[in-house]
Amino acid sequence: MRTRTISMLVGGATAFALLAGSPALAAPPAHAPGLAAKDTLAAVAPDGLRIGGAAAGGGHHGAADYPDPFTSDEPYRDLLAAEFTSLTPENQMKWDHLRPSRDEFAFDDADAIVDFAEENGQIVRGHTLFWHSQNPAWLEDGDYSDAELREILHEHISTVVGRYAGRVAHWEVANEIFDDAGNLRTEENIWIRELGPEIIADAFRWAHEADPEAVLFFNDYNVEGLNPKADAYYALIQDLLADGVPVDGMGLQSHLGTMYGYDPTLPENLARFGALGLETAITELDVRMEIADGAEPTPEQVADQNEFFEFVLTSCLEESSCGSFTLWGASDLYSWVPNTFEGQGSATPWTEDLERKSAYCVLQTTLLSAQPGGEARAAHHPAYAGCRAA
Ligand code: XIL
């Protein structure tokens, strides 16, 4: 049951910079009393670690019974501004959102996120340029020659990355190019199918040409642990680096579920990509569970979810190459999970009413503990007892 009343945005974006280490903190917005300046994930994150969130909009939200979250829901926007130092457009930079036709680019929604991030001292992770999913019909069903397709991709990457050069710090250039067995998606991915695997390197080269400063990532799910799919990335990236292709990072989406367990080899996996000289990132973390719509999780599910969030965050905190930690959803109301996985939900650290769950407290106190002298401070944090067993 979706109960929260959504307040519409009446004014402009709330400027509320909370970058760790930023010299001046703006006062918290009056209408979000829960977000006191020192009491957010962003505020307690150690230097060098970006805390990210998906900016909800497009995709499955288009069919939902609420207005577009990012542009309409003011308390949600305040939460994004206060909790995060990095934002990922959930759908607004995907091909089907940006490209109504071969001749058009529709940048309004993406621009709004980049502007908002700048006003709030946040970086943006661009998502994504090369994928088998959420492509427009004019592309997937078009009848193009190889030369035309190559030109379509080149133009798209140059135009999109070029538009945001200097403003989108990280690009998740290629998304989900391998299947779980570690085979390239040679049928599903239009670019690989039609143009061959060499096009992957071109996508990175074109992105680098359009913004030489942008940090360029691969990104995928089910690559958290040491497994065949992660091995496939590890091998491909070594080949690409040997050829001088500008690959800078490996993103682990981390869509987890309490009923599946987590792979304890995540630290080793992050470390091996880091040892290649790459930046690593947790890019889309959520922890779903089997739960009826509107039901409360059992105490066991809560404990499991807390443990999963803590494990992934700790793995990132302890790996020096891991520069950002992004949550895929900052409210169960907007989470993609119930829409995509029937009978599953409660996957984010915030309820549908934007109340913090104990998973939030676990993340916050884990971040605090990672600060110099932070363990004692975390133990004295007012919320600590609420999320940790004695
Ligand atoms: C999801 C969005 O959250 C939904 O709104 C949309 O309907 C489908 O895509 N891996 C990715 C993300 O890289 O882009 C996906 O996002 C989730 C899985």
Side-chain angles (χ1 to χ4, degrees):
M1 177 110 41
R2 316 244 174 228
T3 47
R4 186 161 74 90
T5 315
I6 307 217
S7 348
M8 303 296 292
L9 181 68
V10 278
T14 309
F16 183 37
L18 264 182
L19 253 185
S22 91
L25 294 180
H31 47 267
L35 303 177
K38 290 281 181 204
D39 185 25
T40 64
L41 300 179
V44 295
D47 284 350
L49 180 66
R50 293 278 174 176
I51 306 296
H60 80 278
H61 303 288
D65 57 1
Y66 48 71
D68 182 66
F70 180 75
T71 50
S72 310
D73 184 346
E74 191 172 6
Y76 171 72
R77 289 165 62 89
D78 289 341
L79 186 151
L80 291 181
E83 295 289 354
F84 301 121
T85 51
S86 170
L87 291 183
T88 305
E90 185 182 9
N91 295 289
Q92 300 90 330
M93 286 186 178
K94 293 173 180 173
W95 274 75
D96 64 355
H97 207 96
L98 280 184
R99 301 300 303 277
S101 73
R102 185 177 171 182
D103 305 322
E104 288 169 287
F105 288 81
F107 282 121
D108 285 0
D109 291 339
D111 283 353
I113 295 173
V114 176
D115 290 346
F116 177 93
E118 252 167 26
E119 283 164 26
N120 292 292
Q122 299 163 313
I123 64 162
V124 175
R125 292 184 69 86
H127 174 82
T128 177
L129 301 165
F130 184 107
W131 195 21
H132 64 274
S133 188
Q134 290 182 263
N135 286 329
W138 66 259
L139 173 66
E140 290 283 348
D141 304 338
D143 186 18
Y144 304 107
S145 68
D146 289 359
E148 282 174 314
L149 263 186
R150 198 177 154 78
E151 178 48 31
I152 288 170
L153 181 63
H154 190 178
E155 183 198 23
H156 181 85
I157 292 178
S158 303
T159 306
V160 176
V161 177
R163 180 181 184 86
Y164 298 115
R167 303 183 71 205
V168 167
H170 298 179
W171 272 103
E172 288 159 7
V173 174
N175 201 32
E176 303 177 355
I177 61 166
F178 288 105
D179 65 20
D180 283 354
N183 298 312
L184 274 179
R185 292 187 193 261
T186 44
E187 285 308 309
E188 287 167 284
N189 184 304
I190 181 174
W191 312 112
I192 302 174
R193 183 180 68 233
E194 303 299 330
L195 302 173
E198 299 75 28
I199 193 67
I200 299 163
D202 289 329
F204 279 86
R205 291 191 188 103
W206 293 332
H208 183 68
E209 277 165 22
D211 183 0
E213 300 302 317
V215 186
L216 306 181
F217 282 75
F218 282 101
N219 194 50
D220 212 325
Y221 62 91
N222 286 354
V223 289
E224 289 72 47
L226 299 168
N227 61 37
K229 193 178 192 177
D231 291 349
Y233 278 99
Y234 187 61
L236 173 68
I237 291 173
Q238 288 178 84
D239 288 347
L240 292 174
L241 292 175
D243 287 347
V245 179
V247 178
D248 306 307
M250 182 65 202
L252 316 185
Q253 292 181 9
S254 311
H255 292 292
L256 306 182
T258 57
M259 55 290 192
Y260 305 127
Y262 59 78
D263 190 323
T265 60
L266 170 59
E268 291 95 306
N269 194 36
L270 282 172
R272 69 171 168 166
F273 285 104
L276 294 180
L278 300 179
E279 180 165 342
T280 60
I282 304 299
T283 55
E284 304 183 13
L285 176 62
D286 52 16
V287 182
R288 59 189 192 264
M289 58 186 71
E290 284 165 349
I291 188 167
D293 197 16
E296 289 294 316
T298 66
E300 198 178 30
Q301 284 176 316
V302 171
D304 285 348
Q305 186 180 51
N306 290 353
E307 185 189 335
F308 282 44
F309 273 115
E310 181 173 18
F311 170 70
V312 178
L313 177 56
T314 302
S315 302
C316 179
L317 282 166
E318 290 180 351
E319 166 54 39
S320 58
S321 69
C322 189
S324 63
F325 174 84
T326 290
L327 299 167
W328 207 242
S331 159
D332 284 346
L333 177 61
Y334 297 140
S335 167
W336 72 308
V337 166
N339 188 269
T340 310
F341 306 96
E342 212 187 325
Q344 301 180 25
S346 196
T348 84
W350 289 266
T351 68
E352 296 190 355
D353 295 323
L354 302 186
E355 299 288 331
R356 296 168 174 185
K357 302 182 188 173
S358 60
Y360 177 94
C361 168
V362 165
L363 292 174
Q364 195 180 34
T365 51
T366 302
L367 287 169
L368 251 184
S369 307
Q371 306 255 15
E375 258 170 60
R377 278 165 61 206
H380 288 99
H381 191 279
Y384 190 82
C387 63
R388 309 274 171 167

